Amino acid sequence: MAIPNRKVVITSYGAPSTSLKVVADTISPPAKGHVQVKIIYSGFAGADVNMRLGQYPMQRAAPLTPGYSFSGRVSVNGPGCSKFQRGDLVVALTKYDSEAEYINIPEKHLVPVPDGVHLQQAAALALDWTTAYGMAYRNANVSAGQRVFIHGISGAVGQGLMYLCLLRGATVYGTAAERNHAALREAGAHPFLYTNKDWIAAMKEVGGVHAVFDALGYESFDESYSILSPTDRSIVVAYGTNLGNLTGGKPRSPWISIFKLLSKSLYFWSNKTAAFFAISRDHKSFQPELQTLLNMVKEGTIHVPIKAIWDMDDIVKAHEAWGKGSGMGSFLIRVADDA
């Protein structure tokens, strides 16, 4: 028997006030091999913004319900499911459908939330920090003594990258709004203003960096490549094309700049290379890395900064606030109280 299920819907592409609605819907019981989860927090990221604009690579057509990750409580097990019990805390990566009161999801994609880990932290880990972990520890293999540069170091993924690279013993540089510089220096990073290009000369002066993490795209990819170390093995890890959304520029295709960046990996005579990171819950590393991060939170090794939490009914405000305002860390949508 279907039950009520309020959810966010991107009805069309455009401005938040005209393209987002919270609608009353229903959800059927979970199918075989699926579990129905009551969502408490949904992760909110640049992917949601790009989907609302119709610019996320290979996205579903509107209307669609966004929400790339969630944390919540098991509500109903479908046929053949017994790994979790009703009320168990779980977290998962979804790409869609997490900005809703309930979701039916294959049991194999659910990860238990350990005792002592808050659901806010879990929801932010599932997308923001697993992205950071995969880029820093797999793509770039950051190690002690290296220099790394992070575009948007005060953002959701940027914060994860900063702390994970510092844990590895790297020297961390990056761009951020001036209001966040004091806190970033206190954390151990070396911030630069994102509003000018002084960081380019500064990074070349220190001998270049061993890794750059770039979610901006377009012209930024070339700038990132230019500050790589000319002598040591170094890499640009791209993971987004958010430059236009952050600067108010006109929409344009990201593919030319992505292909141009990746083609630099063909320069076999160079120590420099490039990669584009795409997260997938089906990748063999995803669940082990998420479980590692959950345990790091439980042990106190890391703490996930949360920049803002919006109620689902305030989804328009969340979209309007993305990339703006004071504070650092992840955005979350509070779907329900944990009761």
Side-chain angles (χ1 to χ4, degrees), residues 221 225 236 238 256-265 274-276:
F221 286 162
Y225 192 82
V236 174
I256 293 177
S257 63
I258 291 173
F259 292 145
K260 181 180 177 182
L261 174 69
L262 296 181
S263 69
K264 296 181 186 297
S265 295
F276 197 97

Side-chain angles (χ1 to χ4, degrees), residues 292-314:
T292 295
L293 288 164
L294 287 164
N295 288 332
M296 291 172 75
V297 170
K298 180 178 180 179
E299 295 160 2
T301 306
I302 59 173
H303 178 77
V304 181
I306 304 297
K307 182 175 180 178
I309 301 173
W310 301 94
D311 289 331
M312 190 165 68
D313 286 329
D314 293 324

Side-chain angles (χ1 to χ4, degrees), residues 222-238:
D222 290 333
E223 294 168 347
S224 293
Y225 192 82
S226 76
I227 64 170
L228 292 179
S229 169
T231 56
D232 300 323
R233 291 190 63 83
S234 53
I235 185 172
V236 174
V237 185

Side-chain angles (χ1 to χ4, degrees), residues 237-257:
V237 185
Y239 64 103
T241 52
N242 293 321
L243 185 62
N245 295 341
L246 293 168
T247 60
K250 293 183 179 180
R252 48 179 168 157
S253 171
W255 295 111
I256 293 177
S257 63

Side-chain angles (χ1 to χ4, degrees), residues 42-201:
S42 173
F44 182 81
D48 297 67
V49 176
N50 284 323
M51 286 182 190
R52 191 244 308 157
L53 295 170
Q55 297 175 7
Y56 194 77
M58 296 175 285
Q59 73 176 73
R60 290 179 185 171
L64 66 96
T65 293
Y68 223 112
S69 62
F70 73 82
S71 61
R73 289 188 179 273
V74 170
S75 179
V76 179
N77 277 321
C81 296
S82 58
K83 182 179 178 181
F84 301 98
Q85 301 300 312
R86 180 180 174 88
D88 284 352
L89 299 177
V90 290
V91 60
L93 192 75
T94 55
K95 189 172 181 178
Y96 304 104
D97 299 325
S98 287
E99 290 173 17
E101 292 177 331
Y102 292 92
I103 188 171
N104 291 331
I105 181 172
E107 181 187 56
K108 66 180 181 179
H109 293 314
L110 294 174
V111 176
V113 177
D115 291 341
V117 176
H118 197 283
L119 288 179
Q120 293 177 8
Q121 300 272 293
L125 288 176
L127 175 61
D128 299 336
W129 280 63
T130 52
T131 298
Y133 191 103
M135 292 192 295
Y137 289 4
R138 279 192 287 114
N139 281 96
N141 192 23
V142 172
S143 60
Q146 290 189 329
R147 298 178 295 274
V148 304
F149 192 91
I150 303 165
H151 292 278
I153 195 171
S154 60
V157 178
Q159 286 282 281
L161 284 165
M162 179 186 74
Y163 284 112
L164 292 172
C165 289
L166 288 172
L167 281 173
R168 280 284 175 95
T171 301
V172 177
Y173 304 89
T175 54
E178 188 172 11
R179 60 181 175 270
N180 293 322
H181 283 198
L184 289 166
R185 291 191 188 97
E186 185 177 352
H190 304 272
F192 291 84
L193 284 173
Y194 67 86
T195 51
N196 61 46
K197 305 296 183 181
D198 291 350
W199 52 272
I200 296 178

